Amino acid sequence: MIKLDRRAFIGGSATALGTLAFGAPTVLGQGKPRVVVIGGGAGGATAAKYIAKDASGIEVTLVEPAKQFITCFHSNLVLGGYKKMDAITHTYDRLASAYGIKLNHQAAVSIDRDRKQVKLADGSVLDYDRLVVSPGIDLKYDSVPGWGLAHEETMPHGWKAGRQTEVLKARLDAVPDGGVIVMIAPPNPYRCPPGPYERVSMMAHTLKAAGKSKAKIIILDPKDAFSKQGVFQEGWEKHYPGMVEWINAKIYDGIKSVDPKTNTVVTGFESYTNAALVNVIPAQMAGAIARDAGLANDSGFCPIDPASMKSAKDANIYVVGDACIPGDMPKSAFSANSQAKVAALMVRGELAKTPTFPARYTNTCWSLIETDDTIKVGGRYEAKDGKITAVETFVSKPGETAQVRKETSTENIGWYSGITADMFS
Ligand SMILES: Cc1cc2nc3c(=O)[nH]c(=O)nc-3n(C[C@H](O)[C@H](O)[C@H](O)COP(=O)(O)OP(=O)(O)OC[C@H]3O[C@@H](n4cnc5c(N)ncnc54)[C@H](O)[C@@H]3O)c2cc1C
């Protein structure tokens, strides 16, 4: 199995790409070529930095409304009490000071693909030679009957980090012993396939640590199976016996309705009334800016050329991260970061005429089940058969020793430091 720490994460990503020391580029033509990046998350921040670094001669503008980025990754650890919010909060300052990236803290409201312009919330317009689009996901507020945007506080999703993480944490801490949490899990494809199940583990950890082991977490899952299922279920049995019940749609026969006023969830099989907490994680789609620009297909996500991350719909645009259709790769921060480096390599190849190399992608998703008990899944990927295809995969096995799980926990912590340093400093 691949082992990783902070240094290995950054170095390993570089090796996988073949080059990140792009060398001094020759910028052709009059003036600097302009790249606009929409979204300052795992995909966008990485793309902006790797396009601008080493004095590439390319003018990079990062468009992101928030002045601080709060990572969804490791937000489950906040629920578990392992991290505080400030430990998952990052600023963009270094991207400006160290790489000369122009930060524009407002939302992009539209893309004019013919004119190669991005319109911003204040009405101003940015011209681009190449555009990188990484807006992450939008939630489908109409995918759970009875639930919507107005109910985010009463039945929180916690699928975008920040206020939602805090609401979910406060609600979790208030669950009484014997209380019932109902999680409505999302259908595929969605951000972070193991995320709901790591969250369940962190909820159970918090309840158990507070002496509330009679509380119960019921997962209503539209999927027949989920990521790392065997090792998650083994872990729940070991650490939280009787506290977690996973029920799939064949049994509960679909969510018929939810009532945020009474915290009720009605399924075709059973109703859960007066739940102490209902965590609704709805269906998802690419961020609106990508869909509105016609970059998505009927799936709601954006097709790309697997060899370059270039949009299948527009040769001047790259789409990375959760908004794209990543073939065999999961929607994860690790994947977004890896895809962004490929896009950066190709953008520099086009605009600064630096050499390019065949796209290589990597991903690992770690999940904390209980202190010192972390599992992982991941792989290496290449452009093959018209998509990003897994060429090697690995997953934690049931019955692994405590030592292996502890080492995997250390990797997870190291990875977080590594990727956030890679994105923001
Ligand atoms: C609970 C949870 C746990 C997770 N754990 C992990 C994990 O352990 N490991 C892992 O690898 N991944 C994990 N993930 C997944 C990870 O957070 C996402 O896959 C990753 O953040 C995707 O990167 P992105 O750039 O596509 O989107 P984001 O990181 O969400 O960034 C998108 C950015 O675009 C901005 N934006 C949107 N629209 C516009 C617009 N119109 N104009 C300007 N800016 C815009 C947003 O403000 C946002 O900052 C987890 C997710 C969740 C929900």
Side-chain angles (χ1 to χ4, degrees):
M1 279 205 189
I2 298 169
K3 290 193 180 169
L4 218 68
D5 58 16
R6 175 187 159 129
R7 187 180 300 238
F9 171 75
I10 298 175
S13 303
T15 310
L17 234 189
T19 175
L20 285 177
F22 294 98
T26 312
V27 180
L28 301 180
Q30 304 271 315
K32 282 184 173 185
R34 289 156 304 185
V35 173
V36 174
V37 178
I38 298 178
T46 308
K49 172 177 153 181
Y50 278 88
I51 293 169
K53 83 195 281 273
D54 306 323
S56 69
I58 299 172
E59 181 184 292
V60 180
T61 304
L62 177 61
V63 179
E64 162 62 56
K67 294 210 167 131
Q68 292 187 316
F69 184 73
I70 304 176
T71 63
C72 278
F73 35 116
H74 282 202
S75 66
N76 283 333
L77 274 59
V78 173
L79 299 182
Y82 292 93
K83 284 195 166 182
K84 298 278 182 217
M85 287 300 285
D86 62 1
I88 60 166
T89 303
H90 305 269
T91 69
Y92 295 100
D93 303 349
R94 282 268 309 159
L95 292 185
S97 63
Y99 304 99
I101 293 167
K102 295 185 173 175
L103 302 176
N104 200 321
H105 285 301
Q106 51 182 323
V109 292
S110 62
I111 301 167
D112 185 330
R113 285 168 43 190
D114 293 331
R115 291 200 173 124
K116 296 206 275 178
Q117 288 179 333
V118 176
K119 191 169 174 194
L120 304 181
D122 69 357
S124 61
V125 162
L126 295 173
D127 294 304
Y128 63 81
D129 295 299
R130 293 294 180 273
L131 175 65
V132 179
V133 177
S134 188
I137 50 144
D138 275 356
L139 303 174
K140 289 190 177 171
Y141 284 103
D142 57 357
S143 62
V144 176
W147 183 85
L149 180 59
H151 311 119
E152 279 193 334
E153 299 272 317
T154 34
M155 290 185 169
H157 53 79
W159 224 239
K160 294 198 175 189
R163 163 97 189 138
Q164 275 288 301
T165 315
E166 290 171 329
V167 172
L168 194 56
K169 174 66 175 156
R171 294 289 301 279
L172 171 64
D173 288 343
V175 170
D177 197 14
V180 173
I181 298 175
V182 179
M183 171 189 279
I184 299 179
N188 288 323
Y190 64 96
R191 156 177 287 184
C192 195
Y197 314 98
E198 179 183 58
R199 173 172 291 175
V200 164
S201 310
M202 291 298 91
M203 286 175 160
H205 167 82
T206 292
L207 293 166
K208 184 175 138 185
K212 300 174 186 170
S213 296
K214 289 201 211 76
K216 196 156 182 169
I217 306 164
I218 292 164
I219 311 160
L220 300 174
D221 205 326
K223 304 179 290 296
D224 290 339
F226 61 87
S227 173
K228 296 183 266 192
Q229 181 164 356
V231 267
F232 267 120
Q233 289 183 316
E234 179 193 57
W236 295 338
E237 210 42 52
K238 178 177 174 188
H239 300 297
Y240 315 115
M243 291 181 73
V244 180
E245 188 178 358
W246 178 75
I247 311 175
N248 84 15
K250 278 194 195 120
I251 296 169
Y252 69 79
D253 193 22
I255 308 290
K256 303 303 171 197
S257 65
V258 302
D259 183 353
K261 283 202 194 80
T262 56
N263 257 4
T264 297
V265 178
V266 179
T267 76
F269 179 64
E270 199 172 339
S271 293
Y272 304 90
T273 48
N274 280 324
L277 167 61
V278 180
N279 176 204
V280 178
I281 310 174
Q284 294 156 35
M285 56 191 164
I289 188 78
R291 288 181 288 113
D292 293 348
L295 299 173
N297 64 17
D298 288 348
S299 71
F301 293 96
C302 306
I304 44 92
D305 171 2
S308 65
M309 297 308 302
K310 194 174 269 213
S311 164
K313 310 250 183 191
D314 191 319
N316 298 309
I317 299 181
Y318 291 77
V319 185
V320 299
D322 289 354
C324 80
I325 300 171
D328 293 345
M329 294 185 91
K331 295 186 186 299
S332 74
F334 199 132
S335 296
N337 174 271
S338 180
Q339 293 157 8
K341 288 174 184 169
V342 169
L345 181 72
M346 303 305 172
V347 167
R348 291 174 66 129
E350 288 185 319
L351 299 183
K353 306 295 173 209
T354 49
T356 59
F357 300 87
R360 299 275 183 273
Y361 307 89
T362 51
N363 177 64
T364 304
C365 287
W366 289 268
S367 303
L368 179 61
I369 301 180
E370 173 57 297
T371 305
D372 289 338
D373 190 351
T374 298
I375 54 176
K376 66 181 172 183
V377 61
R380 287 193 305 107
Y381 308 82
E382 291 174 12
K384 220 169 130 189
D385 306 327
K387 65 179 178 70
I388 301 180
T389 298
V391 292
E392 182 197 344
T393 59
F394 55 86
V395 60
S396 293
K397 294 181 183 54
E400 283 173 340
T401 64
Q403 184 58 30
V404 167
R405 294 295 175 84
K406 193 171 178 180
E407 284 168 13
T408 312
S409 300
T410 306
E411 285 176 22
N412 186 16
I413 300 303
W415 167 75
Y416 186 88
S417 313
I419 189 170
T420 50
D422 199 32
M423 287 164 63
F424 297 115
S425 58

